[in-house]
Amino acid sequence: MATITDVAQAAGVSISTVSYALSGKRSIAASTRQRIMRAIDELEYEPNAGARMLAGARTNILALSAPLGPDGHLPTHMRFVTSVVEAARAHDYDVLLLATDDEVSGIRRAASRSLIDGVVIMGVATVDERVPLVRRLGLPSAFIGVPPGVDDMSCIDLDFDRAGRDAVAMLADAGHTAIGVIGHPHSYVDRDTNFIRRFTHGFDEECRARGVRTATQWPEIGRTGGQQAYDRLREQLPEMTALVFHCNEPIVEGALRRIAQLGLSIPDDLSVLAACASYAADELETPLSAIPLPLDEMCHSAVENALALVDSLGHPQVTLIAPTYLDRGSIAAPKPAAHPA
Amino acid sequence: MATITDVAQAAGVSISTVSYALSGKRSIAASTRQRIMRAIDELEYEPNAGARMLAGARTNILALSAPLGPDGHLPTHMRFVTSVVEAARAHDYDVLLLATDDEVSGIRRAASRSLIDGVVIMGVATVDERVPLVRRLGLPSAFIGVPPGVDDMSCIDLDFDRAGRDAVAMLADAGHTAIGVIGHPHSYVDRDTNFIRRFTHGFDEECRARGVRTATQWPEIGRTGGQQAYDRLREQLPEMTALVFHCNEPIVEGALRRIAQLGLSIPDDLSVLAACASYAADELETPLSAIPLPLDEMCHSAVENALALVDSLGHPQVTLIAPTYLDRGSIAAPKPAAHPA
DNA sequence: GCGCATTATCGAAGCGCTTCGACGATTGTC
DNA sequence: GACAATCGTCGAAGCGCTTCGATAATGCGC
């Protein structure tokens, strides 16, 4: 493998000149730069990563802390991971995947060994050891999701509170006054996951403000959970004319199947909105209007947040992305009531 | 951050002594070793990764080349990735995740920069540029899956040919003489994926040997594809009394749903076997007897294969894992025929 | 109790890079 | 046309580690 010395020799300059030509930290004559670049191409030179880490302060590696909980949703998880890798590559960074049970030790190890420049943290729990850890380590970090009560770290997330309000507003504006919600599996809720709490808060507030009646089901995990949840919801809120999903695909699919079984049609009998959908809501059996989870945007911002801290540009801050709406025709006005007032 | 010099000072020895105490490459007096270890603990010393890479020949990083094709199955993909990470950690290795479109450049970059000791390669295509690449780079590599015609590389895979034979044998032994197969989405087949070909080969051979009639459907991707495939299969092979799945969850679920819709019960009306199942076939609506894909075993072996080459222990070789069988009661003897011979 | 192998330790070289200070050569200023 | 500022380049230090002799201390046989 060619070293910088080989390149310097081939180009007839000193190694520091090569280094500066590559980093751009000092000006280099155009002709010299060209000779250097040609030598680099010919020798297929790639700078040695270890030497770079040791000499410079940079490793060009970002850790991705992605614990897959016992009930984690594999496809969503994978989408985040892939998206972070792509975002990192766009900045010439590689990703070290930390995905074992013990997230803390992984981050600590990689950081103490100066293997990484920073870390992107996903799957944030309400009480997350990684928050004090990266704070103590002074490690440039970007959270995907907002740990409750944190404001001294870079976090990126959908504005779930706003998404909850928008969901209500959209359906209420269409004329609905009784909206059911099928949420995430109750095992998520038991862990008191922050984004669920924020969505619910916004949703409930807006319902109260608008006098909309509502009921929520937190199902069992999986397709069957979705079916059951829908049945329970009908008992709880028989007058329901609109349904909001705030959950992952399998539950949506289970509920949609049940709805079809009952002979109900969307949106004629029931308006449906997929809120904060990490999946492609247009590939369901019934395409659903959605407030999409801007997954790629979140991952890209997270990577940029982390790298900004690495470069000491700006300060950590919490960013909430405004929800958007994608109409796929699953929302309509409710049927005229059987006995109007 | 503490350096080896700090540790040496604290323990009252030279840095080389500390290094040898850590690597065990020369004998160190027990008392000295203890002092050193105490110093390491107190100072929370972790060796600098860059320095290690530069001085030693090791980086303790393994690349994972995991291209997610356009039709890749996210959950299966994630299971592999997670499993590789865990296997690597068991050997004190970290994983650099290469998961962009351009796999070749990722591997080349990481290798040329001496960032990685080796690479684990998954999602092997029939004609895979990564084979000549790692061969040319002389990079220790382990394939998960066997690229066709390759015998000079470490590969680990399920013995798909054998799995195909076993599937037939198991059902034929139970008395079935007409077996339908629902395979992977035809987009996989079009790419001429090697493992599908091997399964099919073993399956067909065994059918021929035993005089079993068979038909295969390569469905569209997704749940709906599964339903359609089952319907077509019934037309093609009306006397079918057993069904083999060689595909991913969504297709299985679609087909199972169709089977339930038709009022058929498993295994009374239809025996079903999930072959090479990467998913938990006991969590389906109807638990299925299966020939499981030994995913963890494959990933662990792949990591060990790669590390063996890093340590120059042994030579590359192709290993096929013998299929196993998990009985979950979805296979029974066929119903006595309506008009016996 | 002498030589010899073994054990325990040290010092120094060197891995390939970044970066600082130095210095001659240009360029610009009044 | 003298002086300063800037440009382009070089040499050398040093990042933290591994590893190769070298050296001192110990154990052993006879």
Side-chain angles (χ1 to χ4, degrees):
Chain A
M1 258 162 248
T3 72
I4 198 172
T5 309
D6 301 329
V7 174
Q9 251 159 22
V13 297
S14 75
I15 62 163
S16 50
T17 306
V18 176
S19 180
Y20 285 122
L22 244 26
S23 70
K25 293 193 178 171
R26 280 195 189 175
S27 47
I28 296 289
S31 60
T32 310
R33 161 173 285 117
Q34 275 175 11
R35 259 182 303 135
I36 292 176
M37 290 309 173
R38 193 166 337 116
I40 287 179
D41 283 348
E42 279 168 13
L43 296 169
E44 297 192 333
Y45 167 74
E46 288 273 357
N48 178 291
R52 253 202 173 154
M53 293 185 193
L54 187 54
R58 285 298 170 66
T59 70
N60 274 265
I61 301 179
L62 225 42
L64 172 58
S65 174
L68 177 60
D71 57 354
H73 188 238
L74 258 19
T76 303
H77 212 75
M78 190 73 223
R79 286 188 190 104
F80 273 104
V81 170
T82 308
S83 186
V84 167
V85 169
E86 267 163 19
R89 282 305 309 147
H91 297 273
D92 197 31
Y93 264 72
D94 272 303
V95 170
L96 195 78
L97 182 59
L98 270 19
T100 52
D101 296 336
D102 188 357
E103 283 300 302
V104 169
S105 76
I107 296 177
R108 199 207 309 280
R109 174 169 34 82
S112 313
R113 294 186 180 177
S114 302
L115 220 197
I116 54 173
D117 290 339
V119 60
V120 171
I121 298 179
M122 50 179 276
V124 178
T126 307
V127 177
D128 203 312
E129 297 180 276
R130 294 173 294 176
V131 175
L133 175 69
V134 298
R135 196 181 275 142
R136 189 151 35 82
L137 292 172
L139 184 66
S141 319
F143 289 77
I144 297 179
V146 185
V150 166
D151 62 354
D152 60 338
M153 304 257 127
S154 276
C155 305
I156 184 84
D157 208 353
L158 177 64
D159 188 340
F160 277 91
D161 183 283
R162 181 78 188 286
R165 289 178 203 278
D166 285 2
V168 175
M170 225 141 17
L171 291 165
D173 287 348
H176 297 273
T177 54
I179 307 176
V181 179
I182 295 183
H184 277 279
H186 60 68
S187 57
Y188 289 27
V189 183
D190 292 346
R191 270 187 276 129
D192 219 18
T193 316
N194 198 29
F195 75 91
I196 297 182
R197 198 196 305 194
R198 288 185 284 139
F199 181 87
T200 305
H201 176 262
F203 190 93
D204 290 349
E205 286 275 298
E206 193 70 19
C207 281
R208 200 167 307 129
R210 294 184 176 243
V212 168
R213 274 153 297 140
T214 182
T216 302
Q217 277 294 325
W218 311 107
E220 295 295 320
I221 209 162
R223 222 171 314 279
T224 330
Q227 298 190 228
Q228 293 170 352
Y230 183 70
D231 287 337
R232 295 218 194 93
L233 211 46
R234 294 189 85 199
E235 283 174 33
Q236 244 183 303
L237 192 70
E239 71 273 31
M240 162 175 77
T241 57
L243 176 62
V244 171
F245 288 115
H246 183 217
C247 50
N248 284 129
E249 290 145 300
I251 292 172
V252 173
E253 287 166 354
L256 285 183
R257 189 196 308 187
R258 184 76 186 125
I259 291 167
Q261 270 175 6
L262 294 168
L264 297 175
S265 93
I266 296 171
D268 295 341
D269 302 311
L270 187 69
S271 286
V272 178
L273 173 67
C276 316
S278 65
Y279 44 93
D282 54 339
E283 289 175 4
L284 295 166
E285 291 166 56
T286 316
L288 296 183
S289 298
I291 297 176
L293 188 72
L295 197 147
D296 286 331
E297 185 182 352
M298 289 165 68
C299 292
H300 277 78
S301 294
V303 166
E304 272 157 23
N305 283 345
L307 295 186
L309 293 177
V310 171
D311 292 329
S312 318
L313 305 172
H315 282 285
Q317 58 176 22
V318 176
T319 312
L320 297 180
I321 301 174
T324 58
Y325 173 65
L326 243 59
D327 185 7
R328 296 202 185 89
S330 67
I331 296 180
K335 272 189 179 166
H339 26 247
Chain B
M1 258 164 244
T3 72
I4 198 172
T5 310
D6 301 330
V7 174
Q9 250 159 23
V13 296
S14 75
I15 62 163
S16 51
T17 305
V18 176
S19 179
Y20 285 123
L22 244 26
S23 70
K25 293 191 180 175
R26 281 195 187 174
S27 47
I28 296 289
S31 60
T32 311
R33 160 171 288 117
Q34 275 175 12
R35 258 181 304 136
I36 293 175
M37 290 310 171
R38 196 169 331 118
I40 287 178
D41 283 349
E42 279 168 12
L43 296 169
E44 297 191 335
Y45 166 73
E46 289 272 357
N48 179 291
R52 261 212 166 141
M53 291 185 196
L54 188 54
R58 285 297 170 67
T59 69
N60 274 264
I61 301 178
L62 223 43
L64 172 58
S65 174
L68 177 58
D71 57 353
H73 189 239
L74 257 20
T76 302
H77 212 75
M78 191 72 222
R79 287 187 189 106
F80 273 104
V81 171
T82 310
S83 187
V84 167
V85 169
E86 267 162 19
R89 282 305 309 145
H91 296 273
D92 197 31
Y93 264 72
D94 272 303
V95 170
L96 195 79
L97 182 59
L98 269 21
T100 51
D101 295 335
D102 188 357
E103 284 299 303
V104 169
S105 76
I107 295 177
R108 199 208 308 280
R109 176 170 31 82
S112 313
R113 294 185 181 178
S114 301
L115 219 197
I116 55 173
D117 290 339
V119 60
V120 171
I121 297 180
M122 51 179 273
V124 177
T126 306
V127 176
D128 203 311
E129 296 180 276
R130 294 172 294 176
V131 174
L133 175 69
V134 298
R135 195 181 276 142
R136 189 151 35 82
L137 292 171
L139 184 66
S141 320
F143 288 78
I144 297 179
V146 183
V150 166
D151 62 354
D152 61 337
M153 306 255 123
S154 277
C155 305
I156 184 86
D157 208 352
L158 177 64
D159 188 339
F160 278 91
D161 183 283
R162 182 75 188 287
R165 289 176 203 279
D166 286 3
V168 175
M170 225 139 21
L171 292 165
D173 287 348
H176 297 273
T177 55
I179 307 176
V181 179
I182 295 184
H184 278 279
H186 61 68
S187 56
Y188 290 27
V189 182
D190 292 347
R191 270 187 275 131
D192 218 18
T193 318
N194 198 28
F195 76 91
I196 296 182
R197 196 195 308 193
R198 288 186 283 139
F199 181 87
T200 305
H201 177 261
F203 190 93
D204 290 348
E205 286 276 297
E206 193 70 19
C207 282
R208 199 167 309 128
R210 293 183 177 243
V212 168
R213 273 153 298 141
T214 182
T216 302
Q217 277 293 326
W218 311 106
E220 295 295 320
I221 211 163
R223 223 172 312 281
T224 330
Q227 297 188 227
Q228 292 170 350
Y230 182 70
D231 287 338
R232 295 219 194 93
L233 211 46
R234 293 189 86 198
E235 283 174 32
Q236 246 184 302
L237 194 70
E239 71 272 33
M240 162 175 77
T241 57
L243 177 61
V244 171
F245 288 115
H246 182 218
C247 51
N248 282 318
E249 290 146 300
I251 292 172
V252 174
E253 287 167 354
L256 285 182
R257 191 197 303 186
R258 184 75 187 124
I259 290 167
Q261 272 176 4
L262 294 168
L264 297 175
S265 93
I266 297 172
D268 295 341
D269 301 311
L270 187 69
S271 288
V272 179
L273 172 67
C276 316
S278 66
Y279 44 92
D282 54 339
E283 289 174 4
L284 297 165
E285 291 166 57
T286 316
L288 295 184
S289 299
I291 297 176
L293 188 72
L295 196 147
D296 286 330
E297 186 183 351
M298 289 165 68
C299 292
H300 276 77
S301 294
V303 167
E304 273 157 23
N305 283 345
L307 296 186
L309 293 176
V310 172
D311 293 330
S312 318
L313 305 171
H315 283 284
Q317 57 176 23
V318 176
T319 311
L320 297 181
I321 302 174
T324 58
Y325 174 64
L326 244 59
D327 185 8
R328 296 202 184 90
S330 68
I331 296 179
K335 271 190 178 167
H339 28 245

